[in-house]
Structures are given as C-alpha cells and as structure tokens.
Amino acid sequence: MPEGDSVHKLARRLDRALRGRTVARSDLRVPRLATRDLAGREVLEHATHGKHLLTRFSGDVTLHSHLLMDGEWSVTRPGRQLPRRLQPDVRVVLETTEGSTAWGLRLHQLELVATSQEAQVVGHLGPDLLHDDLDTAEAVRRLRADPEVPLVSAMLDQTKVAGLGNLWANELAFVLGRSPWTPVGEVDVERLVTLAARALRHSATVPGAYQVTTGTGRRGESHWVAGRQRRPCLRCGTVVQMVDEVPNDPANRRTWWCPHCQPGPARPAR
C-alpha cells in the first residue's frame, strides 16, 4: 500500500522518466480539469509531502495527486500504450515531445494549483518525515498535542506527521515495545520521530530495503507483526494478533501486535 516511502520512490522514478521533458499532449480525465491543458510546459520535478505527489511544471503550475490505497503511475516508451483493460482507470495522460507517456491510474484528490500556492493542498499536513529539513520539534509537538490518542492512531494522523501508513505505524509500535493502544503521551515521542524518520529514509533510499523492517528480506520474515496474524512472533514466539479496521475511520486501520513484546492497554471495547 502507498506510504511516504512508496511515494518518494515513485517520485524519483517519475523524475528519471520525465524531468526536463516537455509535455506534447495532456489529458486530465476528471470533470473539473477536463479543459485544462499542460502542453508546452516542461516537467521540472516531482516533489512529495507525506503520501501526496506534486508534479511541478514550468509556469508556476503543480499537478497534485494522492494515491490513497490503489493509485499508481506507469510510463510507456514511445509508440507504446497501456493495455486496453487499464484504460478505464486512467485519470492523467502526459505525453512528452520525446514520445514517452506517463499514465496516472485511479488517482485521487487530483488538482491543479499554482506551485507558489501548494500550501492549499498540503499545508494542512504535519512535518514530512522524509524531508531533509524535517522540523523534529514541531513533529513532537503535534504528536503530544493530544496525549490520550492511541499510539497507532496518532501516527496515522497525517496532520501530526506526514508519511506513516498502516504498515509503518504497526511496525514502529512493535519496535518501541508498546501496545498500539498506548496513549501517545506515555511514549518517548522524540525517539518515535527519530526512529520513524530513519526507517522511512532507509526504506526509500537503500536498495533492497524497501519496507523491510526486520533487517531480512526473506519471505515471511520481512515484517515484525504486519501481515503476520496467527503466526509466531519472530522475537518471542507468541502468536501475533490482529484486529480489523474500523470502517471509514483512517485512524483505526487493521492492527497487528505481539501481546508479549508489546505490553500495555488492550483494544478498547467497541
């Protein structure tokens, strides 16, 4: 599932394919943008803030998109098209003068804004854990602002810190040795922010390290708890537990934990 490190890697891949190239034809397949034309603009870069992708063009124009759970981008070589079965999912087409084409599929929150006004679409987000200029003190302040919020829910709140998705929230709770439902005010938040920033950067930039949290990429052993329900904990052998997400509640996604390695509050009764 797309998380901050996923979108960071995507941005670098799109930069390699598109940066410095000029758009020959654009097709924005959402009603409010259908008449907008990006032809003639140079692709300057792909920036990210948390899980949000910002495609910046010459002339102070940014295409903002969010992948949510199922969005993706694909780039085809000159003369090639996406398979016909994928065409209904296409929301953005950017064909360059060199002939390569970028296709955005199942993109969400698609908007065009002035690059100088990007705060309109990402200004509500907390500090990005992958940015070189991460304001650690502000991230800590935001996480501490609601001390009774459960640890995992606090990490998933993108207005507190941007970039952590469900996998990282659950894995970091394990690494901290705390129950997912521990009030965040009882956690060493400075250590949490430091670990989270280091983990996402390692995942996004080190070859072979993408979303490997245990240090080994062996099948079935790359995560401490995420996806390991009813299997033994890799550290102590206790059976890993899982509870389903709360529908339509982004702060309560599917949760995995080891009852032995992560002591603390149990899931509240619903």
Side-chain angles (χ1 to χ4, degrees), residues 188-228:
D188 184 343
V189 177
E190 289 91 345
R191 180 171 179 243
L192 167 61
V193 172
T194 299
L195 283 172
R198 185 186 307 152
L200 259 69
R201 182 159 298 279
H202 185 79
S203 176
T205 62
V206 175
Y210 176 61
Q211 294 190 347
V212 173
T213 61
T214 60
T216 176
R218 287 194 294 270
R219 184 177 178 86
E221 298 181 13
S222 58
H223 301 149
W224 290 111
V225 288
R228 291 187 55 82

Side-chain angles (χ1 to χ4, degrees), residues 35 38 45 59 75 98 122 133 136 138 143 153 163 189 197 214 219 228 252:
T35 62
L38 297 171
E45 65 176 333
V75 179
E98 291 82 358
V122 296
D133 61 351
T136 300
E138 177 62 11
L143 285 165
S153 298
V189 177
T214 60
R219 184 177 178 86
R228 291 187 55 82
N252 288 280

Side-chain angles (χ1 to χ4, degrees), residues 20-226:
R21 298 190 176 185
T22 300
V23 178
R25 180 180 69 88
S26 71
D27 185 3
L28 305 178
R29 299 179 184 176
V30 294
R32 65 183 176 280
L33 301 179
T35 62
R36 301 291 295 273
D37 187 5
L38 297 171
R41 297 185 185 274
E42 180 185 348
V43 180
L44 300 181
E45 65 176 333
H46 291 82
T48 64
H49 194 114
K51 305 177 188 182
H52 297 250
L53 179 67
L54 302 164
T55 304
R56 295 171 176 161
F57 300 88
S58 58
D60 194 38
V61 173
T62 292
L63 178 65
H64 163 252
S65 61
H66 196 307
L67 276 64
L68 292 184
M69 298 293 288
D70 60 346
E72 62 178 305
W73 282 86
S74 182
V75 179
T76 54
R77 296 190 299 273
R80 302 294 295 272
Q81 295 274 331
L82 282 186
R84 184 174 298 177
R85 61 182 173 79
L86 297 179
Q87 289 295 333
D89 293 328
V90 173
R91 299 294 177 267
V92 176
V93 181
L94 298 174
E95 182 180 348
T96 70
T97 53
E98 291 82 358
S100 58
T101 302
W103 310 80
L105 291 82
R106 298 177 300 279
L107 299 179
H108 305 271
Q109 301 177 15
L110 202 60
E111 298 162 283
L112 279 174
V113 298
T115 303
S116 56
Q117 301 292 318
E118 286 177 354
Q120 294 178 9
V121 291
V122 296
H124 64 290
L125 300 172
D128 186 311
L129 292 163
L130 274 166
H131 283 187
D132 292 335
D133 61 351
L134 168 65
D135 188 340
T136 300
E138 177 62 11
V140 170
R141 185 193 70 79
R142 291 189 181 215
L143 285 165
R144 282 180 171 162
D146 298 302
E148 297 305 315
V149 173
L151 171 59
V152 166
S153 298
M155 286 192 277
L156 290 174
D157 185 344
Q158 301 299 296
T159 68
K160 297 184 184 297
V161 290
L164 295 176
N166 204 37
L167 182 144
W168 280 112
N170 281 272
E171 292 294 285
L172 286 166
F174 178 88
V175 172
L176 289 170
R178 304 304 294 265
S179 159
W181 297 281
T182 303
V184 70
E186 298 179 10
V187 173
D188 184 343
V189 177
E190 289 91 345
R191 180 171 179 243
L192 167 61
V193 172
T194 299
L195 283 172
R198 185 186 307 152
L200 259 69
R201 182 159 298 279
H202 185 79
S203 176
T205 62
V206 175
Y210 176 61
Q211 294 190 347
V212 173
T213 61
T214 60
T216 176
R218 287 194 294 270
R219 184 177 178 86
E221 298 181 13
S222 58
H223 301 149
W224 290 111
V225 288

